[in-house]
Amino acid sequence: MRARPPPRIAAPGVFTTAILTFIHSWNEIIIAVSMTNDPRIQTATVANSKFTGATEFQPPFG
């Protein structure tokens, strides 16, 4: 049976992993948005980012 590491030891590694994952995801969507102009070949994340609210400058709520 493996012992679980205490939260104090695991916390820095978890936070670092979360930050690096966020940076990688952000860079990936920037590349996908800038390289795909045709709506037929857009990825799901690009299509979701292009949804707008009631006006062009309003975030989508509801």
Side-chain angles (χ1 to χ4, degrees):
M1 186 171 182
R2 291 172 64 178
R4 294 177 48 182
R8 290 183 190 167
I9 294 174
V14 170
F15 290 131
T16 302
T17 303
I19 290 169
L20 292 176
T21 301
F22 174 77
I23 291 171
H24 176 70
S25 299
W26 184 256
N27 287 340
E28 189 66 32
I29 194 168
I30 295 295
I31 292 169
V33 167
S34 64
M35 294 183 78
T36 58
N37 294 328
D38 189 8
R40 293 177 295 147
I41 60 172
Q42 289 178 348
T43 60
T45 53
V46 173
N48 285 339
S49 71
K50 295 201 176 198
F51 282 128
T52 59
T55 65
E56 182 180 353
F57 303 106
Q58 196 174 34
F61 292 116

